[in-house]
Amino acid sequence: MFKRNKEDKLTKREKLEKSGRKRKLDLGFLDSINLYTRLAADKLTRGGMDVPDRVLGDGQFYYSTNRIFTRRGVKKMFFIHDLPSEINRGFVTDLRAEIKREVHTYNETNGVVENASVTLVINSDFYNLDFGDRRVQGRWSNFTRQYERVQKNAQNKKLEDELKSDKYSEAVVRKVRSFLYTKEAKDEQNASFFKTKVVLEIMATSDEVLEVAENALRGFCFRYKIKTKEVFVQTNEYQRAFTPAGSVKKSLLKQMNEGDVWADDTLSSFTVTTHGVVGDPVGIYHGVDIQSRGIVAFDMGKGEDAKNVLLAAGSGEGKSNYAKMLYTFYAPVKEYATVAFDFEGSEYIPLGRIFGANVISMSGREGRYVNTVVIGDKTGDPSIDKYRKKEAMEATARVFHLLVDERYGMTAEQVAIFSDALNEVYADFGVTEDEETWSKSKDITYFHIYAKIREMRYGREKKYIEIHTQEILNNFIAILRPFFEMGGLYKHWFESPISLDEVMEAKHVIFSFGMGGTDEKSVDSKGLALRQMFASYLTLLVASRNKARGVRTVVFLEELQRYLKQRYSGEIVANFSSGGRKLGMIVYYITNSPTALLMQAETQDDVILDNAATIMSNINMQIIGALSNTDTENLINYFGLENAWGYLMELSKVHETNQKNADLKYCFFVRYRGQAAIVRMLSHPDLADLPLYKTLNNAGDKNDLRRVEHMDERDVEGGIVAATKKEDEMRKRDATFKERMQGSKVWS
């Protein structure tokens, strides 16, 4: 074996000392201690010690352990590590607002002008949720078993209440909610899934205001149970992996933060309203997406759910034009019938006549009324027909409630008298619980009920006097006398009955209240409410008939806030939203005062507030145009539209500043079934220029508009001939219908 001698060893030591490597090794050890000491200090101080030692110039940056410095300011990053099971979809907007408030307070206190903002980074990769894969099957089976176990334990309780009962571990609750989330996304939305990492970046003009913003973020996340993890040491890696300039696929930081699997609808809800392919391949045209230029159509006949649409915009912001264009697209389709509540009395009549609508005048001077005592004819649908008598009695009771007192209705004693009288009148005419006898009610009127009440007081039989007393009967008769006695002040309200056959056979019906140019204070509020109630009752009858025929009833309810001022007309209008599902109704609630519907109206009547609440709670589609800031903010808060805050406030700005040529003039935010877009109701120029679609707010020639509003049958016939001729010209000029629907220049 070779053995080194002493002299050789000394020579090597000498060489080592000469090269200086020993000194370098000693210094390297000290540098390591210094590095880890600094890292520990940065961890404890949240990176407070690690700052650039000089002012940075343009194009320069400095990576600290947890921040990135540039000349313009500093950025700090937080990975969202876990979200709670339920959170407002607009939570990022709420976070931004909270940071903005804290920074404002900091500036006011210190007399400085600093800024901080939040950028949302969503980094996603497509996740193939293949239920044919064994691993996916195993996990899904586990989720399913946990769901079935909890569902079985819930018995008569709601599943959500059972999950909150502290019986189950966090893991079980998460699996059950994952099951429900995935099933809904897959079955109802046909969603695509993505493995996603979500990052919040705080951008601040200085390190000091960054700390203010960070404290606000941490407090916000603590309250809403959002778990975050900040980037530490790997700021350079973050810059390479999560910026558009870098975005490397394989990264240690990405592997350490795998993210969660979410449906595309959830991801889109993190951001402002999205544009792209919105709506259905077939359906009713609702406008053109202003960004994608695609036609937005919704299949309103799809599914069994009720279609309750809020269409809101300020006066002169295109609301009525939008509604009448919708009417134009619904009316020719055989699967839809329409009912329009024309409060002004001039909005829908000219357009309705083109489609052969039956116009029912409900103005005060006409004395039109509906005899609700009559039990309607059979529709052929047993689920509807069995309630016909009950509905007739309830509708008649509403009439008498309103006649007695607009706000409080009949007293308990008066209800008892009315009930006895109605039942006796039915018995006199041979109407019983047997459906075959209900046709005998056609000869009964309100006057028979009034006569029966008088008979209770003045007739030979005295049993009702003993039950109800003379005083109560006298008082009740005195209240009803002006409506039903010869020469009564309000007897003309019941002079002209509306033929049910006439209404029921029409495909399109327009109720004209003739209030255009009339001060509402000069009109008898009780009479107006009564006519509104009659129109609402007829609409339900029409919808029942249409349902039996397989046709959906589309209702356009203009000036909604006016109907809700009265409790009894409001009750039926509210019933459109709550009971519309079984009748296949699609209701467009149209208003320029949405705040009045948000239970903030100046009224002390709880019933009126309940009616407004019923309607708003059943709205499942929003079409929102330019409104006041107050109305817009109230709608954002009520419907959770924080993600569309920017667009909606831009629309509000159009209204507040009365901009005539703004980019978003006559645009509407539309949201339905999780999809949203900003649309403009574009139509063929030859249609848009017709006075049929204009109102007094935007009509270029009011004389033309008045002429169209009051045109007689000859005018209508001439207009149809002219329109047919114009249509032929349009077809020759515009190539094919298919090209137009695909977005040719005609639609732009």
Side-chain angles (χ1 to χ4, degrees), residues 499-559:
S499 169
L500 291 182
D501 293 336
E502 178 187 2
V503 176
M504 299 295 277
E505 291 304 316
K507 187 172 188 287
H508 306 293
V509 178
I510 297 174
F511 295 111
S512 172
F513 291 90
M515 294 294 291
T518 303
D519 185 357
E520 201 170 333
K521 294 180 180 178
S522 66
V523 178
D524 190 294
S525 60
K526 185 180 290 187
L528 177 60
L530 189 66
R531 298 194 300 276
Q532 290 173 342
M533 188 165 64
F534 286 144
S536 303
Y537 177 72
L538 280 175
T539 301
L540 291 173
L541 292 181
V542 168
S544 299
R545 185 278 319 267
N546 291 337
K547 174 66 163 52
R549 296 180 179 181
V551 174
R552 283 185 177 265
T553 305
V554 185
V555 179
F556 294 89
L557 196 70
E558 291 272 4
E559 305 288 345

Side-chain angles (χ1 to χ4, degrees), residues 295-309:
I295 289 176
V296 178
F298 295 106
D299 188 353
M300 303 301 283
K302 182 179 180 181
E304 292 297 325
D305 59 319
K307 309 293 192 301
N308 296 309
V309 187

Side-chain angles (χ1 to χ4, degrees), residues 405-409 564-568 571 601-612:
D405 190 288
E406 296 173 65
R407 184 171 178 182
Y408 299 108
L564 291 176
K565 289 182 179 180
Q566 302 294 338
R567 63 181 295 181
Y568 297 108
E571 277 180 359
E602 295 181 0
T603 176
Q604 300 300 316
D605 194 324
D606 291 338
V607 177
I608 293 177
L609 294 178
D610 288 344
N611 291 337

Side-chain angles (χ1 to χ4, degrees), residues 148-162:
E148 291 174 347
R149 179 167 69 94
V150 175
Q151 182 70 56
K152 182 178 180 181
N153 292 340
Q155 294 180 349
N156 296 327
K157 290 194 300 184
K158 292 182 179 179
L159 182 66
E160 191 59 34
D161 293 337
E162 178 68 14

Side-chain angles (χ1 to χ4, degrees), residues 666-680:
Y666 302 134
C667 286
F668 290 81
F669 167 80
V670 177
R671 188 179 75 164
Y672 182 51
R673 294 202 301 252
Q675 298 179 329
I678 301 294
V679 304
R680 182 178 278 116

Side-chain angles (χ1 to χ4, degrees), residues 390-544:
K390 177 185 176 184
E391 290 170 352
M393 295 177 71
E394 289 177 348
T396 306
R398 287 194 188 95
V399 172
F400 278 76
H401 273 299
L402 182 58
L403 294 179
V404 171
D405 190 288
E406 296 173 65
R407 184 171 178 182
Y408 299 108
M410 294 184 285
T411 65
E413 293 86 350
Q414 290 167 342
V415 169
I417 295 170
F418 165 80
S419 179
D420 288 339
L422 179 59
N423 283 317
E424 284 213 8
V425 169
Y426 274 142
D428 290 345
F429 281 80
V431 178
T432 66
E433 295 304 311
D434 183 358
E435 292 186 20
E436 298 302 320
T437 67
W438 292 357
S439 60
K440 298 178 181 180
S441 66
K442 290 187 176 181
D443 295 326
I444 305 175
T445 68
Y446 299 128
F447 294 90
H448 288 99
I449 300 174
Y450 174 69
K452 181 63 67 174
I453 295 172
R454 285 186 57 85
E455 186 180 313
M456 291 179 180
R457 169 64 181 88
Y458 300 109
R460 294 180 179 178
E461 292 189 33
K462 302 298 182 182
K463 64 176 182 178
Y464 287 107
I465 293 179
E466 297 174 359
I467 297 173
H468 302 298
T469 76
Q470 289 185 6
E471 182 181 357
I472 294 175
L473 286 167
N474 286 339
N475 176 261
F476 199 14
I477 293 169
I479 293 172
L480 297 177
R481 184 181 297 122
F483 305 102
F484 302 113
E485 290 278 5
M486 186 65 68
L489 184 61
Y490 303 113
K491 186 175 181 294
H492 65 283
W493 288 3
F494 301 99
E495 280 186 351
S496 181
I498 297 172
S499 169
L500 291 182
D501 293 336
E502 178 187 2
V503 176
M504 299 295 277
E505 291 304 316
K507 187 172 188 287
H508 306 293
V509 178
I510 297 174
F511 295 111
S512 172
F513 291 90
M515 294 294 291
T518 303
D519 185 357
E520 201 170 333
K521 294 180 180 178
S522 66
V523 178
D524 190 294
S525 60
K526 185 180 290 187
L528 177 60
L530 189 66
R531 298 194 300 276
Q532 290 173 342
M533 188 165 64
F534 286 144
S536 303
Y537 177 72
L538 280 175
T539 301
L540 291 173
L541 292 181
V542 168
S544 299

